[in-house]
């Protein structure tokens, strides 16, 4: 038999080329909305191979200092507002910059949410409503009877957590309006 030994100029290493590449870059963010302080985890979603990325540029939209060059950074938004997050990746071979569509992060001072001890039963039915919101300093609970397309206010209460006894059969809607300074948030359940 014969032994083949390639010389250095016979190796089959392709020359890197990017001229016809149409790389895609997008941002994954979790969560995209919530209550301050809101910590958001960001991740690159791209077809650019990791060994072809020479520069990663994140801007979190808060100020000129809110930047990162990490693959999967996180950022904590301390104040309410809507922030635009941008990402660009520069490639090694050609130095071309690929930019993702921006992502909006919405941060509020408060959110409205509550739980009910029960959602059905026989009248008279006592139901405990528990505020599970974040950030509120004032609460208004409105209880409406919603039979037959009408919406009639039955009771308004202003404690953080309430107990209400439904005296008559029917369908009811419970709404909580929560306030902090001049901001409000509302949640309703039927």
């Amino acid at each position: 038999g014969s032994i083949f030994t390639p010389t250095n100029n016979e190796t089959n290493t392709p020359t890197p080329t990017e001229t016809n590449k149409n790389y895609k870059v997008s941002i994954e963010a979790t969560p995209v909305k919530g209550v301050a302080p809101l910590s958001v985890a960001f991740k690159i979603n791209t077809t650019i191979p990791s060994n072809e990325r020479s520069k990663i540029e994140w801007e979190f939209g808060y100020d000129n200092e809110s930047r990162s060059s990490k693959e999967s950074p996180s950022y904590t938004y301390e104040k309410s507002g809507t922030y635009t997050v941008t990402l660009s990746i520069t490639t090694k071979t050609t130095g071309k910059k690929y930019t993702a569509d921006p992502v909006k992060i919405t941060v509020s001072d408060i959110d409205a949410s509550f739980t009910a001890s029960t959602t059905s039963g026989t009248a008279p039915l006592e139901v405990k409503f528990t505020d599970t919101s974040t950030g509120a300093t004032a609460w208004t609970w409105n209880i409406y009877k919603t039979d037959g397309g009408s919406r009639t206010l039955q009771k308004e209460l202003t404690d953080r957590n309430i107990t209400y006894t439904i005296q008559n059969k029917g369908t009811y809607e419970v709404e909580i309006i929560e306030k902090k300074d001049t901001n409000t948030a509302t949640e309703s359940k039927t």
Side-chain angles (χ1 to χ4, degrees):
S2 65
I3 298 172
F4 174 73
T5 308
T7 59
N8 283 343
N9 60 0
E10 292 176 317
T11 58
N12 196 11
T13 309
T15 307
T17 176
E18 194 189 314
T19 51
N20 295 324
K21 295 282 187 198
N22 194 14
Y23 288 129
K24 305 266 188 264
V25 177
S26 65
I27 299 170
E28 290 181 29
T30 309
V32 293
K33 69 179 196 172
V35 178
L38 181 67
S39 183
V40 181
F42 295 97
K43 189 175 165 195
I44 295 171
N45 187 359
T46 184
T47 56
I48 302 172
S50 55
N51 64 350
E52 182 56 28
R53 303 173 198 167
S54 71
K55 187 174 184 185
I56 297 169
E57 298 172 272
W58 289 94
E59 291 189 18
F60 301 117
Y62 190 73
D63 57 26
N64 286 336
E65 305 302 312
S66 61
R67 299 167 183 260
S68 178
S69 59
K70 295 179 181 174
E71 289 272 334
S72 301
S74 64
Y75 188 79
T76 301
Y77 294 89
E78 301 290 342
K79 295 181 180 170
S80 64
T82 301
Y83 302 94
T84 302
V85 178
T86 60
L87 165 66
S88 62
I89 299 174
T90 306
T91 57
K92 285 181 182 171
T93 306
T94 64
K96 184 174 178 188
K97 185 185 275 194
Y98 293 85
T99 303
D101 288 337
V103 168
K104 297 257 189 243
I105 305 295
T106 305
V107 182
S108 62
D109 284 337
I110 58 173
D111 72 335
S113 61
F114 67 92
T115 60
S117 60
T118 186
T119 56
S120 64
T122 306
L125 180 66
E126 183 180 273
V127 184
K128 290 183 171 93
F129 296 97
T130 305
D131 168 47
T132 55
S133 66
T134 307
T137 55
W139 301 265
T140 302
W141 295 87
N142 294 316
I143 299 169
Y144 298 96
K145 193 165 187 336
T146 57
D147 291 337
S150 66
R151 189 174 189 249
T152 310
L153 182 64
Q154 303 294 298
K155 188 81 172 174
E156 181 178 289
L157 301 160
T158 56
D159 293 328
R160 181 170 186 178
N161 301 305
I162 63 167
T163 299
Y164 181 73
T165 301
I166 297 170
Q167 298 294 342
N168 302 304
K169 72 176 188 174
T171 304
Y172 292 81
E173 176 188 337
V174 177
E175 171 186 69
I176 187 171
I177 303 168
E178 306 194 6
K179 294 185 169 115
K180 179 180 180 183
D181 303 323
T182 58
N183 298 321
T184 59
T186 304
E187 169 84 8
S188 312
K189 294 180 185 177
T190 304

